[in-house]
Amino acid sequence: MASSSNTLFVSCLLLLLLSMFAVFSYAKVYVVYMGSTDSEDPDEIVTHNHRILSSVHGSVEEAQAAHLYSYKHGFKGFAAKLTENQARQIAEMEGVVSVFENTRRRLHTTHSWDFIGLAEETTMEIPGFSTKNQVNVIIGFIDTGIWPESPSFHDTGMPPVPAGWKGICQTGEAFNTTNCNRKVIGARYYHSGYEAEENNNLDFATDDDPKKKVSYRSPRDSIGHGSHTASTAAGRHVQNMSYNGLASGRARGGAPLARIAVYKTCWDSGCYDADILAAFDDAVRDGVHIMSLSLGPDAPQGDYFSDAISIGSYHAVSHGITVVSSVGNGGTKGSATNLAPWLITVAASSTDREFTSKIVMGNGVKVKGESLSMHQMMVPARIISASIANRGYFTPYQSSYCLEGSLNYTKTRGKVLLCRHAERSTESKLAKSEVVKAVGGVGMILIDDTDKDVAIPFVIPAAIVGKRMGNRILSYITSNARNATLRIFASNAKLGSQPAPRVASFSSKGPNALTPEILKPDIAAPGLNILAAWSPAVGKMNFNVLSGTSMACPHVTGIVALIKAVHPALSPSAIKSAIMTTATVFDKNGKPMRVDPDGRRGNAFDYGSGFIDPTTVLDPGLVYDANPTDYKSFLCSIGYTEKMLHPITRDNSTCNNQPFSMPSGLNYPAIVVSNLKSTFSVSRTLTNVRKQSQRITYRAVVTTPHGIEVSVHPKRIVFDRYGQKVNFTVTFKVSVPTHGYVFGYLQWKHRSSRVTTPLVVRVTDF
């Protein structure tokens, strides 16, 4: 009898396990977002989350097994494994704002501060202002972690950790509490969302030497990206920073005395929503002042409250935290991401430093190409087009791109190959040099017209040239048959050889695909060939040169830290306004900024308000301020209902009595009219943030968009005191029908002060 009972018990247990396995086999990770916390007890939020999960799973045990995270500090919600049907049931429950899949976000993968205009000083002082209070500014980085031993993160001479800090130093693989210090004051890591999607358990420690690891179940950085961005924004002075001896010299971050808090959410394949939201939730409680995210969704971006970065940043900004993000590396019109108006979204530009290799052809012609390769050809070698070295079933067209397996060793051995790179291809350029090396090639010229200025650390003597130069080399090869030779020299860092800044070709462009009335990107900063700290777990290097809007984002983050140091009471929107209204649209030669690769004249969809200028940003004079109530009005204006918004805002206001009814009514530091039929008016409010002893008068000066009449009322505005607000209205009228968007500027001028606002207009059919 006992044996029969045992058999029955084991059978029931197996059936239960099999049913749970069946559920989880078809389950995916979903994020359930439930709005603001409304000062609720965190434990009660967790209990409520478990009740919801139990109601769809059928048991407490299954609910606990499915649960990944509870969000309970900055906002409410949870992440859990759910079937599509279970996710649909939860989405219909009271108090649930949105339910969305745990989507993967991608990383938007130093002389730059000298180029921007910050002084060579320990504290990065700006004339007329003291930024020493940056020691009390805490920056949170959501990224790949940090390499704490880097000289960029030493804490020599730094005062104790700010009293308001509530974060932790989470221990883990090759990382303990001693890895945090007075510079890196906190570190956390998040992996549940990643592991659930990738079916990859990070528990595989096999070596105690951290430099030999592939990944770390800890805040330690095994990719390099997080160390690079953190040191760009807030790295300490390093005396001899270089990339393999290139660009050697002193380097530092924008706010070298600001504190760093690490939130590692990104692993080898990317960063998942569930982990990102957990990081935002903790950062709000920990007490950070700024958050920096050099990552984002693929374009086109989804709805604001089905997007982890938009959700997390909304609640961070509602708590007074300024959030800085990268616009993405799509490069094409309308590819901008991180589109929410409460975010500062950053485009990438060049500096005046290039990493180039000299190329000498057999006919004596000398040209240059972009490269980080330290390899050098000692003597010239014959150069051929890779298209004539095709192997097997590969066509000449395929081999011209130097694809793996496409090249014939007998044709390529001892030669330099002229290869092509597909426009905007994600295929590795570095891998092409490895392919050429594997078939006996001694050098490579790579034609890439789109991103010809992005330097690559090739494994052989190699350089990137544009299409025009590539055709010139090809013509030389064709006309000299078997006698065409070429020599490639090692890379060299060179200053001032091209006009700068220029908008990088890879930098994603506007217009805003989600809400055209909100300008994106907001601002541009250096993001091309940026030298900063690195993880020696990758390539055994302490420093590396990277390009991407990922590199531009922390430049703005560093400036935000300086603004917080000087003006700690400014709101996130006022800080954004100070950055945007003091930017410049001219290069260092005083000419309009251009856009790579074709050198066309830039506009607000390329660089937002322009290139960041830290020498004027601390004294903006006037700002366009906005608060969470204004963002609610904005959300009402784009179709959110009171029922949808109440869980997000937790207030009792309705969409009927909002101060504006169209998204262009948000008090944003740019004015975009995307659907002008005849006449349209937009109102804005300026707040005086200059402490003064006398009345100040500003007058309006307009550079009109082509075919548009622009009038400003009043034309003069007067401020008597700090904090005073003044309203004005801009009216647009079609004078000559135009196609597409046209661009102009409104400037409020007082003596040498300029408060500049981009004007962007598109005329539609009458």
Side-chain angles (χ1 to χ4, degrees):
M1 187 73 176
S3 175
S4 175
S5 298
N6 288 339
T7 302
L8 182 62
F9 173 76
V10 170
S11 299
C12 290
L13 183 62
L14 283 170
L15 284 171
L16 176 63
L17 291 172
L18 285 170
S19 66
M20 289 178 67
F21 176 77
V23 167
F24 291 125
S25 294
Y26 294 98
K28 294 184 287 190
V29 177
Y30 286 85
V31 172
V32 178
Y33 169 57
M34 303 173 70
S36 297
T37 60
D38 201 20
S39 303
E40 295 171 66
D41 183 274
D43 292 336
E44 290 182 7
I45 292 174
V46 174
T47 302
H48 181 62
N49 292 346
H50 283 159
R51 275 202 299 269
I52 291 175
L53 279 170
S54 296
S55 71
V56 298
H57 276 291
S59 73
V60 174
E61 291 77 14
E62 287 185 39
Q64 289 176 340
H67 179 266
L68 269 67
Y69 292 110
S70 275
Y71 311 124
K72 52 189 183 291
H73 304 296
F75 47 91
K76 275 201 313 186
F78 59 89
K81 291 180 179 178
L82 301 168
T83 63
E84 188 175 337
N85 185 53
Q86 290 168 339
R88 195 179 301 112
Q89 290 178 55
I90 292 175
E92 295 170 356
M93 293 182 181
E94 186 72 25
V96 174
V97 177
S98 60
V99 178
F100 53 93
E101 288 186 28
N102 178 35
T103 306
R104 182 175 63 191
R105 311 292 165 175
R106 299 185 188 278
L107 296 167
H108 291 156
T109 282
T110 229
H111 166 80
S112 55
W113 288 108
D114 297 324
F115 177 72
I116 284 179
L118 284 182
E120 177 73 26
E121 295 182 16
T122 301
T123 57
M124 301 293 266
E125 289 293 293
I126 297 174
F129 299 92
S130 174
T131 61
K132 292 180 180 178
N133 190 47
Q134 63 186 269
V135 296
N136 293 313
V137 176
I138 303 166
I139 308 172
F141 293 90
I142 295 182
D143 215 298
T144 65
I146 200 161
W147 193 268
E149 294 85 2
S150 169
S152 294
F153 308 126
H154 73 82
D155 66 351
T156 305
M158 294 195 70
V161 173
W165 175 243
K166 300 182 181 67
I168 64 170
C169 189
Q170 186 178 2
T171 59
E173 191 177 3
F175 200 97
N176 56 49
T177 55
T178 63
N179 290 124
C180 293
N181 55 22
R182 292 183 176 188
K183 179 63 178 176
V184 181
I185 63 173
R188 298 176 184 265
Y189 67 101
Y190 308 84
H191 53 82
S192 297
Y194 163 78
E195 288 185 336
E197 297 292 350
E198 301 284 339
N199 296 316
N200 183 10
N201 193 319
L202 291 168
D203 269 332
F204 55 85
T206 57
D207 200 306
D208 291 333
D209 183 355
K211 292 187 180 182
K212 295 181 180 178
K213 292 293 297 170
V214 174
S215 188
Y216 306 99
R217 197 185 183 94
S218 76
R220 184 173 288 280
D221 183 7
S222 62
I223 295 173
H225 190 274
S227 300
H228 198 282
T229 56
S231 68
T232 299
R236 301 297 303 276
H237 276 255
V238 177
Q239 288 295 334
N240 294 304
M241 182 181 288
S242 72
Y243 174 81
N244 291 333
L246 280 175
S248 180
R250 295 185 72 196
R252 77 282 189 194
L257 294 181
R259 316 300 180 128
I260 292 172
V262 177
Y263 298 88
K264 179 180 176 179
T265 65
C266 301
W267 305 87
D268 53 1
S269 62
C271 331
Y272 280 94
D273 283 350
D275 300 327
I276 291 169
L277 282 171
F280 267 114
D281 193 40
D282 283 336
V284 170
R285 178 185 59 176
D286 289 347
V288 305
H289 303 108
I290 304 162
M291 298 199 70
S292 187
L293 296 91
S294 289
L295 53 103
D298 293 332
Q301 179 182 319
D303 174 76
Y304 293 121
F305 290 102
S306 296
D307 173 71
I309 296 174
S310 297
I311 291 171
S313 60
Y314 176 86
H315 291 284
V317 168
S318 297
H319 284 80
I321 300 167
T322 303
V323 185
V324 187
S325 61
S326 45
V327 74
N329 297 335
T332 55
K333 180 180 177 181
S335 61
T337 61
N338 290 328
L339 302 174
W342 45 85
L343 284 166
I344 300 175
T345 308
V346 188
S349 72
S350 67
T351 68
D352 62 346
R353 180 170 66 190
E354 294 181 290
F355 294 93
T356 59
S357 290
K358 184 170 70 172
I359 303 165
V360 180
M361 291 187 276
N363 59 5
V365 173
K366 297 177 182 178
V367 298
K368 66 177 182 178
E370 204 75 16
S371 180
L372 279 174
S373 175
M374 298 306 294
H375 302 283
Q376 177 167 301
M377 294 172 60
M378 303 311 295
V379 294
R382 184 184 168 196
I383 180 169
I384 63 170
S385 170
S387 63
I388 69 166
N390 57 306
R391 171 177 174 265
Y393 294 105
F394 287 93
T395 65
Y397 176 79
Q398 291 170 325
S399 68
S400 73
Y401 288 90
C402 294
L403 304 176
E404 186 174 359
S406 68
L407 299 172
N408 187 323
Y409 177 82
T410 59
K411 297 177 181 178
T412 58
R413 184 177 60 175
K415 298 180 180 67
V416 178
L417 268 64
L418 181 68
C419 304
R420 297 184 181 276
H421 186 73
E423 184 176 344
R424 306 216 178 278
S425 168
T426 58
E427 187 183 6
S428 169
K429 298 176 189 177
L430 177 65
K432 289 183 185 293
S433 68
E434 293 171 340
V435 168
V436 173
K437 182 180 180 180
V439 293
V442 297
M444 178 182 73
I445 300 296
L446 183 62
I447 302 173
D448 178 19
D449 206 46
T450 304
D451 290 326
K452 62 179 180 292
D453 295 318
V454 178
I456 303 294
F458 297 112
V459 298
I460 55 175
I464 300 170
V465 298
K467 187 180 294 183
R468 188 174 66 177
M469 185 57 65
N471 288 338
R472 186 176 177 184
I473 296 172
L474 185 60
S475 176
Y476 164 67
I477 294 171
T478 304
S479 60
N480 286 272
R482 292 181 170 273
N483 298 318
T485 61
L486 182 142
R487 182 182 176 190
I488 305 170
F489 289 77
S491 180
N492 186 38
K494 191 175 182 181
L495 297 177
S497 61
Q498 288 196 57
R502 308 178 314 280
V503 177
S505 60
F506 56 75
S507 187
S508 289
K509 313 296 192 294
N512 185 326
L514 201 54
T515 313
E517 294 82 1
I518 301 300
L519 180 65
K520 291 293 172 179
D522 295 306
I523 194 72
L528 183 67
N529 300 330
I530 303 301
L531 176 65
W534 190 244
S535 168
V538 186
K540 298 180 180 178
M541 298 184 297
N542 294 316
F543 309 105
N544 201 1
V545 174
L546 295 183
S547 295
T549 53
S550 275
M551 287 59 255
C553 171
H555 279 90
V556 175
T557 301
I559 300 300
V560 171
L562 298 182
I563 298 173
K564 288 290 287 186
V566 176
H567 304 290
L570 285 186
S571 69
S573 59
I575 289 172
K576 176 197 279 192
S577 176
I579 288 170
M580 291 178 68
T581 59
T582 59
T584 179
V585 296
F586 299 102
D587 65 22
K588 295 297 182 178
N589 295 327
K591 296 181 178 179
M593 282 175 61
R594 299 285 170 175
V595 182
D596 287 338
D598 54 8
R600 65 173 173 82
R601 184 169 177 167
N603 60 53
F605 288 159
D606 301 309
Y607 48 58
S609 289
F611 185 73
I612 193 165
D613 184 357
T615 63
T616 57
V617 76
L618 296 183
D619 187 21
L622 308 173
V623 297
Y624 295 93
D625 207 354
N627 56 44
T629 303
D630 296 312
Y631 292 130
K632 177 172 182 176
S633 298
F634 164 77
L635 293 168
C636 287
S637 76
I638 60 173
Y640 282 80
T641 64
E642 293 157 19
K643 183 179 180 181
M644 295 163 66
L645 287 175
H646 178 69
I648 299 170
T649 61
R650 299 291 171 184
D651 64 25
N652 294 317
S653 62
T654 69
C655 283
N656 294 328
N657 10 333
Q658 296 300 326
F660 57 89
S661 60
M662 301 187 71
S664 56
L666 180 66
N667 200 37
Y668 209 73
I671 298 175
V672 182
V673 180
S674 63
N675 190 25
L676 180 61
K677 290 182 168 59
S678 176
T679 303
F680 188 78
S681 295
V682 178
S683 295
R684 288 288 187 269
T685 302
L686 283 167
T687 303
N688 182 28
V689 293
R690 179 175 289 161
K691 294 178 180 176
Q692 62 197 62
S693 57
Q694 58 186 11
R695 175 176 291 192
I696 297 178
T697 301
Y698 290 83
R699 61 185 177 89
V701 178
V702 177
T703 301
T704 57
H706 176 69
I708 309 296
E709 290 181 14
V710 180
S711 59
V712 182
H713 182 77
K715 294 181 179 179
R716 294 178 183 270
I717 53 178
V718 180
F719 294 90
D720 298 307
R721 65 188 183 279
Y722 180 86
Q724 181 183 350
K725 296 178 183 294
V726 173
N727 299 327
F728 68 91
T729 300
V730 183
T731 300
F732 301 87
K733 183 180 179 181
V734 178
S735 60
V736 179
T738 57
H739 295 287
Y741 283 94
V742 288
F743 304 87
Y745 288 92
L746 163 64
Q747 283 191 327
W748 289 102
K749 290 187 176 183
H750 168 72
R751 295 179 183 171
S752 60
S753 296
R754 304 283 188 275
V755 181
T756 305
T757 307
L759 304 177
V760 182
V761 183
R762 180 177 63 177
V763 176
T764 55
D765 294 334
F766 287 86

